Amino acid sequence: MRITGDQRRRRLVAHQLALGVDRPGLPAARSPEDVTRRLVALHATDAPSVHLAVLARVPGLTLDDVRDALFERRDLVRVLGMRRTMFVVRREMVPVVHAGAATAVAGRLRARLLKELATLPTDPPVADPEALLAAAEYQVHAALVEHGPLDGAQLSRAAPLLRTAFLPTTDKAWDVRRTMTSPLLAVLSAEGSVVRGEPRGAWTSPRHVWELMTDWFPDGIPALDEDAARVELARAWLEAFGPATVADLKWWTGWNLGQARRAVAALDVREVEVEVGAPGADVQVADGVMLRSTDLDGLGPAGPADDVAQGHAALLPTLDPTTMGWTARDWYLGPHRPLLFDSAGNAGATVWWQGRVVGAWTARPDGEVVWRLLEDVGPEGEAAVAAEAARIGALLGGVGFTPGYVTPLYRELRA
């Protein structure tokens, strides 16, 4: 069975973008929790992206709705997980992500930090890396118990061993003095000891406070078997992102190929061919899989999913989970990668029309939403993009933001 590029794009709109629309067997998302459930995880490395990813998908939701889900109800939790990336996931998915991805990440981060402490020059010199790390962890825990939530600067004052510094070893501009604060907090986050709480200042601020994970999960993160957690994570991803290739799953999770294949083999899937080439280009096909329960009815022209895709425009943020959902992206990205991704492969904010990327956008400091199209989408498409930009701009309330990842087209829009 072959899944065409058109079918994949229609499914993408119905299952990932137009989430505020009721469909047969798929009720509309009503909350930030619903949006996150449908997408498995929201990228959270860039501070504004979580809020903007939700607002892009469900008209009627606000910035306050996202804040409440994160920090009042605590139904959504920031975790360091797949690919050593920061995500927001539903509370019930935290154990799955922790066992299925974060535990392995934590092991690598701890080993790297210990190696750096043992091999790089430090101030003060470190005689016993493992003893230093254990003492620093104790100080962090004690500081959070005594003082409650603290941001990184406050925590480094309350836990002085965090100020242990790595010294430059070259004359490169990027090789500067850096303290142990960030790498150790990353280790503790991946291990599930601490969690990022509410940011200081505006919703766009990257300056989050740190809290003990036991403040969120009093008994700690529930333990799951790693293999079982990987199977569940693969199932959730295929439900949201399938049909897709095992290579896509491997990339998204950060697993090795063997782990990805074993997780898929434990699921009830069917093998398919998926078109991975750009719209209008020569057909390129790859071996793929999808859950046997996947409903592909109505994905043809004039079907229910096509009704949703027709006329649908979206403005997605930097590192949006849909833009970053697959490693093979030509089927929705087309030829636009050089302008819309930075040199490290991070996606900027994108404009979508009927399930494919057609441009970029940003919000200037005064909250004005500006965009640029990279291809002709016709009068209907331009009007839909303009209407969506006006809707997002109204939700921002005159407040702009600066993304953490700068793409070539973003520089032009910001000028």
Side-chain angles (χ1 to χ4, degrees):
M1 179 180 184
R2 175 176 293 186
I3 311 299
T4 69
D6 283 342
Q7 286 178 310
R8 298 187 78 188
R9 288 185 288 274
R10 285 193 287 268
R11 181 172 172 81
L12 181 154
V13 174
H15 285 256
Q16 297 213 9
L17 299 184
L19 301 189
V21 179
D22 275 311
R23 293 180 56 240
L26 192 63
R30 308 292 185 192
S31 67
E33 291 92 334
D34 289 343
V35 172
T36 309
R37 181 179 298 107
R38 296 274 285 271
L39 295 168
V40 186
L42 307 180
H43 275 263
T45 304
D46 202 29
S49 292
V50 172
H51 294 72
L52 295 172
V54 172
L55 300 187
R57 290 168 165 86
V58 182
L61 291 180
T62 67
L63 295 172
D64 285 342
D65 290 325
V66 182
R67 179 199 172 276
D68 289 348
L70 283 165
F71 307 119
E72 294 298 328
R73 297 192 296 274
R74 292 187 171 183
D75 289 337
L76 301 180
V77 186
R78 273 184 166 83
V79 295
L80 189 65
M82 294 72 71
R83 304 190 315 280
R84 204 183 66 193
T85 297
M86 188 61 54
F87 289 95
V88 161
V89 301
R90 302 183 333 271
R91 187 178 183 86
E92 58 266 32
M93 279 295 290
V94 171
V96 174
V97 171
H98 181 68
T103 298
V105 169
R108 292 192 292 270
L109 291 178
R110 179 173 286 276
R112 186 174 72 177
L113 181 53
L114 284 169
K115 181 178 180 180
E116 289 182 339
L117 288 169
T119 59
L120 296 180
T122 61
D123 179 23
V126 175
D128 187 338
E130 291 196 5
L132 173 73
L133 214 54
E137 291 176 53
Y138 177 83
Q139 287 187 352
V140 169
H141 185 272
L144 293 177
V145 168
E146 180 179 357
H147 300 290
L150 298 172
D151 63 32
Q154 294 169 324
L155 196 50
S156 67
R157 289 193 292 270
L161 286 176
L162 289 178
R163 299 199 293 272
T164 302
F166 297 101
L167 303 178
T169 57
T170 71
D171 58 359
K172 304 294 185 183
W174 50 263
D175 190 5
V176 298
R177 180 187 177 99
R178 56 189 176 89
T179 71
M180 194 171 68
T181 303
S182 291
L184 179 54
L185 290 175
V187 170
L188 298 181
S189 175
E191 290 178 344
S193 298
V194 299
V195 61
R196 287 166 173 81
E198 190 164 10
R200 304 288 195 195
W203 64 277
T204 58
S205 171
R207 188 184 167 198
H208 291 270
V209 299
W210 292 91
E211 302 178 39
L212 293 171
M213 185 62 81
T214 49
D215 292 341
W216 292 59
F217 290 83
D219 298 323
I221 298 173
L224 295 180
D225 174 77
E226 284 190 28
D227 289 338
R230 289 194 191 102
V231 172
E232 173 55 23
L233 194 56
R235 185 207 59 76
W237 184 85
L238 278 173
E239 188 173 90
F241 292 88
T245 69
V246 173
D248 290 325
L249 174 64
K250 170 185 175 293
W251 176 84
W252 187 87
T253 55
W255 299 335
N256 60 43
L257 187 57
Q259 290 169 331
R261 285 173 171 165
R262 286 192 295 273
V264 169
L267 296 168
D268 186 15
V269 299
R270 60 185 299 182
E271 296 181 356
V272 295
E273 292 182 329
V274 290
E275 292 184 6
V276 296
D282 292 339
V283 175
Q284 299 178 41
V285 177
D287 293 333
V289 293
M290 68 181 189
L291 295 175
R292 198 170 296 277
S293 59
T294 299
D295 179 13
L296 292 179
D297 292 341
L299 279 181
D306 194 46
D307 292 342
V308 174
Q310 286 297 320
H312 183 270
L315 272 60
L316 302 188
T318 301
L319 296 176
D320 185 84
T322 296
T323 316
M324 300 290 291
W326 301 264
T327 188
R329 301 172 179 143
D330 287 352
W331 59 277
Y332 60 89
L333 183 58
H336 306 312
R337 184 189 300 261
L339 289 174
L340 301 178
F341 282 69
D342 70 10
S343 58
N346 300 300
T350 49
V351 177
W352 292 65
W353 171 243
Q354 298 184 156
R356 55 192 177 88
V357 177
V358 296
W361 72 281
T362 191
R364 290 175 173 161
D366 62 359
E368 178 191 7
V369 174
V370 294
W371 73 95
R372 181 170 301 171
L373 297 177
L374 296 174
E375 57 187 77
D376 182 7
V377 297
E380 180 190 3
E382 291 190 21
V385 170
E388 185 63 8
R391 184 183 75 83
I392 296 296
L395 291 170
L396 297 181
V399 177
F401 53 86
T402 301
Y405 301 89
V406 177
T407 64
L409 191 51
Y410 167 79
R411 294 189 180 93
E412 296 181 25
L413 289 171
R414 195 73 169 187

